[in-house]
Amino acid sequence: MCFIFVSQLASASFYVRPRAGAAVPIDGGSSSYSVGLTAGYQWLSFFSTELSYTRLFAINNGNDGNTVRAAGVLSTPIGILAPYASLGVGWVNTDLPAPFEDVNNYMTTIGAGISLLKIAFLSANVGAEYAIVSGGGQDFIEPYVSVGLRF
């Protein structure tokens, strides 16, 4: 039992990945491009935690914004690939033009995707997150890709 736990800890690593995608509101409102950064720590071969920041750039007369989120990620390594599922919480800020004040809401995120595990010092993933936004904000789906460094 102890040997299994120690071997799982041997896979611990830190990673940083720039990310790009699109935030698409469920109700058909204005979409946004998203660019940002995800930093995470892989505690065990099947569990990691992440912190992400994204900047949202509106398409067509929408409003720009920002998101910050933290998530737990469960994965199943299969060779060099690892399907994953995530659950997290976060904050979304919508920039409104003057004289209006920006709108801030909390969100819960549910995600899934597939990761390409560490090859040399690189890793990549493709996934999507569904964000449930509180306070009357627009729920959205954010498909994204990311490639970065794993230490």
Side-chain angles (χ1 to χ4, degrees):
M1 173 82 164
C2 183
F3 175 72
I4 294 170
F5 182 71
V6 170
S7 68
Q8 295 294 331
L9 285 177
S11 64
S13 61
F14 175 73
Y15 55 92
V16 178
R17 291 192 291 244
R19 63 187 277 162
V24 181
I26 297 301
D27 68 1
S30 179
S31 297
S32 301
Y33 295 113
S34 65
V35 294
L37 185 70
T38 296
Y41 190 79
Q42 180 119 20
W43 300 92
L44 302 168
S45 64
F46 59 89
F47 178 72
S48 60
T49 52
E50 296 182 344
L51 182 62
S52 298
Y53 167 79
T54 56
R55 177 70 179 156
L56 304 173
F57 297 98
I59 303 169
N60 304 325
N61 303 329
N63 296 306
D64 294 343
N66 303 283
T67 70
V68 175
R69 48 193 119 180
V73 181
L74 291 174
S75 61
T76 305
I78 303 169
I80 63 168
L81 299 176
Y84 67 87
S86 65
L87 180 63
V89 295
W91 165 81
V92 59
N93 163 265
T94 305
D95 299 336
L96 296 178
F100 303 104
E101 290 188 27
D102 291 355
V103 176
N104 295 290
N105 296 98
Y106 294 102
M107 64 182 173
T108 301
T109 60
I110 302 166
I114 191 159
S115 291
L116 176 63
L117 299 176
K118 183 177 178 179
I119 296 178
F121 55 88
L122 295 175
S123 66
N125 72 341
V126 175
E129 288 182 325
Y130 177 66
I132 303 164
V133 182
S134 68
Q138 291 183 321
D139 293 355
F140 61 91
I141 294 176
E142 184 182 10
Y144 63 90
V145 297
S146 65
V147 177
L149 303 175
R150 184 174 286 266
F151 308 96

